[in-house]
PDB file of all heavy atoms in Angstrom:
ATOM      1  N   PHE A  86      15.232 -79.358 -67.516  1.00  0.00           N
ATOM      2  CA  PHE A  86      14.801 -79.083 -68.856  1.00  0.00           C
ATOM      3  C   PHE A  86      13.886 -77.966 -68.895  1.00  0.00           C
ATOM      4  O   PHE A  86      13.915 -77.061 -69.936  1.00  0.00           O
ATOM      5  CB  PHE A  86      13.954 -80.458 -69.319  1.00  0.00           C
ATOM      6  CG  PHE A  86      13.447 -80.263 -70.675  1.00  0.00           C
ATOM      7  CD1 PHE A  86      14.277 -80.465 -71.808  1.00  0.00           C
ATOM      8  CD2 PHE A  86      12.112 -80.031 -70.913  1.00  0.00           C
ATOM      9  CE1 PHE A  86      13.856 -80.395 -73.105  1.00  0.00           C
ATOM     10  CE2 PHE A  86      11.624 -80.038 -72.227  1.00  0.00           C
ATOM     11  CZ  PHE A  86      12.484 -80.180 -73.290  1.00  0.00           C
ATOM     12  N   PHE A 102      16.905 -88.872 -68.914  1.00  0.00           N
ATOM     13  CA  PHE A 102      15.565 -89.484 -68.456  1.00  0.00           C
ATOM     14  C   PHE A 102      15.158 -90.634 -69.294  1.00  0.00           C
ATOM     15  O   PHE A 102      14.810 -91.770 -68.847  1.00  0.00           O
ATOM     16  CB  PHE A 102      14.440 -88.445 -68.590  1.00  0.00           C
ATOM     17  CG  PHE A 102      13.110 -88.883 -68.159  1.00  0.00           C
ATOM     18  CD1 PHE A 102      12.652 -88.946 -66.866  1.00  0.00           C
ATOM     19  CD2 PHE A 102      12.241 -89.465 -69.149  1.00  0.00           C
ATOM     20  CE1 PHE A 102      11.419 -89.434 -66.503  1.00  0.00           C
ATOM     21  CE2 PHE A 102      11.088 -89.980 -68.789  1.00  0.00           C
ATOM     22  CZ  PHE A 102      10.538 -89.967 -67.514  1.00  0.00           C
ATOM     23  N   CYS A 173       8.664 -94.300 -72.778  1.00  0.00           N
ATOM     24  CA  CYS A 173       9.370 -93.371 -72.027  1.00  0.00           C
ATOM     25  C   CYS A 173       9.218 -92.015 -72.674  1.00  0.00           C
ATOM     26  O   CYS A 173       9.365 -90.885 -71.932  1.00  0.00           O
ATOM     27  CB  CYS A 173      10.840 -93.753 -71.938  1.00  0.00           C
ATOM     28  SG  CYS A 173      11.155 -95.254 -70.877  1.00  0.00           S
ATOM     29  N   THR A 174       9.118 -91.926 -73.941  1.00  0.00           N
ATOM     30  CA  THR A 174       8.940 -90.641 -74.548  1.00  0.00           C
ATOM     31  C   THR A 174       7.681 -90.077 -74.090  1.00  0.00           C
ATOM     32  O   THR A 174       7.450 -88.862 -73.805  1.00  0.00           O
ATOM     33  CB  THR A 174       8.919 -90.827 -76.113  1.00  0.00           C
ATOM     34  OG1 THR A 174      10.229 -91.216 -76.468  1.00  0.00           O
ATOM     35  CG2 THR A 174       8.659 -89.414 -76.838  1.00  0.00           C
ATOM     36  N   LYS A 175       6.565 -90.800 -74.107  1.00  0.00           N
ATOM     37  CA  LYS A 175       5.325 -90.328 -73.629  1.00  0.00           C
ATOM     38  C   LYS A 175       5.332 -89.913 -71.971  1.00  0.00           C
ATOM     39  O   LYS A 175       4.803 -88.965 -71.688  1.00  0.00           O
ATOM     40  CB  LYS A 175       4.141 -91.457 -73.730  1.00  0.00           C
ATOM     41  CG  LYS A 175       3.821 -91.747 -75.215  1.00  0.00           C
ATOM     42  CD  LYS A 175       2.872 -92.895 -75.313  1.00  0.00           C
ATOM     43  CE  LYS A 175       2.447 -93.237 -76.720  1.00  0.00           C
ATOM     44  NZ  LYS A 175       1.459 -94.233 -76.739  1.00  0.00           N
ATOM     45  N   PHE A 176       6.091 -90.840 -71.339  1.00  0.00           N
ATOM     46  CA  PHE A 176       6.168 -90.621 -69.902  1.00  0.00           C
ATOM     47  C   PHE A 176       7.019 -89.264 -69.654  1.00  0.00           C
ATOM     48  O   PHE A 176       6.649 -88.415 -68.720  1.00  0.00           O
ATOM     49  CB  PHE A 176       6.772 -91.762 -69.185  1.00  0.00           C
ATOM     50  CG  PHE A 176       6.573 -91.681 -67.608  1.00  0.00           C
ATOM     51  CD1 PHE A 176       5.396 -91.353 -67.105  1.00  0.00           C
ATOM     52  CD2 PHE A 176       7.707 -92.207 -66.788  1.00  0.00           C
ATOM     53  CE1 PHE A 176       5.251 -91.308 -65.723  1.00  0.00           C
ATOM     54  CE2 PHE A 176       7.539 -92.200 -65.453  1.00  0.00           C
ATOM     55  CZ  PHE A 176       6.314 -91.790 -64.918  1.00  0.00           C
ATOM     56  N   TRP A 177       8.078 -89.096 -70.418  1.00  0.00           N
ATOM     57  CA  TRP A 177       8.804 -87.845 -70.341  1.00  0.00           C
ATOM     58  C   TRP A 177       7.972 -86.612 -70.601  1.00  0.00           C
ATOM     59  O   TRP A 177       8.051 -85.534 -69.987  1.00  0.00           O
ATOM     60  CB  TRP A 177      10.081 -87.882 -71.210  1.00  0.00           C
ATOM     61  CG  TRP A 177      10.802 -86.548 -71.428  1.00  0.00           C
ATOM     62  CD1 TRP A 177      10.739 -85.897 -72.459  1.00  0.00           C
ATOM     63  CD2 TRP A 177      11.530 -85.980 -70.439  1.00  0.00           C
ATOM     64  NE1 TRP A 177      11.621 -84.618 -72.220  1.00  0.00           N
ATOM     65  CE2 TRP A 177      12.074 -84.782 -70.993  1.00  0.00           C
ATOM     66  CE3 TRP A 177      11.809 -86.217 -69.047  1.00  0.00           C
ATOM     67  CZ2 TRP A 177      12.857 -83.842 -70.294  1.00  0.00           C
ATOM     68  CZ3 TRP A 177      12.686 -85.386 -68.254  1.00  0.00           C
ATOM     69  CH2 TRP A 177      13.138 -84.139 -68.901  1.00  0.00           C
ATOM     70  N   ALA A 178       7.208 -86.743 -71.572  1.00  0.00           N
ATOM     71  CA  ALA A 178       6.289 -85.562 -72.090  1.00  0.00           C
ATOM     72  C   ALA A 178       5.372 -85.343 -70.893  1.00  0.00           C
ATOM     73  O   ALA A 178       5.189 -84.041 -70.645  1.00  0.00           O
ATOM     74  CB  ALA A 178       5.512 -85.981 -73.321  1.00  0.00           C
ATOM     75  N   ARG A 179       4.805 -86.262 -70.211  1.00  0.00           N
ATOM     76  CA  ARG A 179       3.834 -85.949 -69.127  1.00  0.00           C
ATOM     77  C   ARG A 179       4.691 -85.471 -67.898  1.00  0.00           C
ATOM     78  O   ARG A 179       4.292 -84.466 -67.356  1.00  0.00           O
ATOM     79  CB  ARG A 179       3.230 -87.359 -68.780  1.00  0.00           C
ATOM     80  CG  ARG A 179       2.348 -87.203 -67.464  1.00  0.00           C
ATOM     81  CD  ARG A 179       1.711 -88.450 -67.132  1.00  0.00           C
ATOM     82  NE  ARG A 179       0.832 -89.068 -68.077  1.00  0.00           N
ATOM     83  CZ  ARG A 179       0.275 -90.214 -68.010  1.00  0.00           C
ATOM     84  NH1 ARG A 179       0.355 -90.991 -66.869  1.00  0.00           N
ATOM     85  NH2 ARG A 179      -0.576 -90.700 -69.014  1.00  0.00           N
ATOM     86  N   VAL A 180       5.727 -86.038 -67.598  1.00  0.00           N
ATOM     87  CA  VAL A 180       6.619 -85.662 -66.402  1.00  0.00           C
ATOM     88  C   VAL A 180       7.107 -84.228 -66.648  1.00  0.00           C
ATOM     89  O   VAL A 180       7.021 -83.407 -65.688  1.00  0.00           O
ATOM     90  CB  VAL A 180       7.768 -86.613 -66.169  1.00  0.00           C
ATOM     91  CG1 VAL A 180       8.733 -86.067 -65.111  1.00  0.00           C
ATOM     92  CG2 VAL A 180       7.275 -88.025 -65.706  1.00  0.00           C
ATOM     93  N   SER A 181       7.692 -83.972 -67.792  1.00  0.00           N
ATOM     94  CA  SER A 181       8.257 -82.682 -67.980  1.00  0.00           C
ATOM     95  C   SER A 181       7.150 -81.568 -68.046  1.00  0.00           C
ATOM     96  O   SER A 181       7.420 -80.476 -67.481  1.00  0.00           O
ATOM     97  CB  SER A 181       9.012 -82.589 -69.385  1.00  0.00           C
ATOM     98  OG  SER A 181       8.099 -82.932 -70.433  1.00  0.00           O
TER      99      SER A 181
END
Side-chain angles (χ1 to χ4, degrees):
F86 180 78
F102 177 89
C173 288
T174 298
K175 292 180 180 178
F176 195 41
W177 169 251
R179 176 183 299 181
V180 170
S181 60

